[in-house]
């Protein structure tokens, strides 16, 4: 971006289209990363059944990995690593936060369902 004066004395700003194209490419790559396919469900010992414990552990491991990645990116950015962009840090942080919120909401639904079943009269 450069600033220059027009013939009428008004300051004009010239925008570098190369920088805009680079920013658009960076945003597209971030969107492609976010839209990555979700890991498959782990199938239990019998065909067609799902082991809840394995699925729960896999989900918790995924949430933990997202949190650790966000922490590492944040630390690298704070230490001045030029290969880490602020947008990457913010995206990783938001992905981690959303994964944690989703896990908490699923847990709350499971606890509510458990209480409902336990309070049923037989």
């Amino acid at each position: 971006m450069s600033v220059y004066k027009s013939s009428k004395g008004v300051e004009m700003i010239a925008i570098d289209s190369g920088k805009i194209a680079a920013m658009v490419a960076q945003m597209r790559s971030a969107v492609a990363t976010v839209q990555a396919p979700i890991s498959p469900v782990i199938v239990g010992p019998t065909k067609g059944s799902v082991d809840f414990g394995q699925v729960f552990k896999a989900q918790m491991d995924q949430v933990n990995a997202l949190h650790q990645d966000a922490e590492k990116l944040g630390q690298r950015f704070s230490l001045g690593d030029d290969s880490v962009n602020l947008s990457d840090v913010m995206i990783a942080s938001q992905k981690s936060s959303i994964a944690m919120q989703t896990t908490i909401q699923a847990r709350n639904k499971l606890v509510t369902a458990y209480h409902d079943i336990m309070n049923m009269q037989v």
Side-chain angles (χ1 to χ4, degrees), residues 3-93:
V3 179
Y4 63 93
K5 289 198 176 206
S6 69
S7 60
K8 295 181 181 179
V10 178
E11 286 190 12
M12 303 291 285
I13 299 174
I15 299 174
D16 185 9
S17 62
K19 290 183 180 181
I20 293 174
M23 179 63 95
V24 169
Q26 185 180 9
M27 291 172 70
R28 285 187 178 145
S29 69
V31 168
T33 303
V34 171
Q35 293 176 343
I38 298 172
S39 60
V41 175
I42 300 170
V43 178
T46 60
K47 187 175 182 180
S49 69
V50 177
D51 183 11
F52 177 76
Q54 288 179 339
V55 172
F56 183 74
K57 181 170 180 356
Q59 178 63 28
M60 293 307 296
D61 289 343
Q62 188 175 11
V63 170
N64 187 39
L66 286 171
H67 178 71
Q68 288 178 353
D69 289 344
E71 286 289 320
K72 287 177 187 174
L73 279 175
Q75 287 175 353
R76 287 176 49 198
F77 182 78
S78 296
L79 294 173
D81 188 350
D82 291 335
S83 66
V84 179
N85 296 325
L86 178 60
S87 60
D88 293 339
V89 175
M90 296 306 294
I91 289 170
S93 176

Side-chain angles (χ1 to χ4, degrees), residues 84-119:
V84 179
N85 296 325
L86 178 60
S87 60
D88 293 339
V89 175
M90 296 306 294
I91 289 170
S93 176
Q94 286 299 312
K95 285 170 64 175
S96 172
S97 175
I98 290 170
M100 180 59 77
Q101 290 173 8
T102 303
T103 303
I104 289 170
Q105 290 300 321
R107 182 211 56 190
N108 292 346
K109 293 287 184 182
L110 285 169
V111 169
T112 301
Y114 173 78
H115 285 296
D116 289 345
I117 291 171
M118 295 305 293
N119 290 331

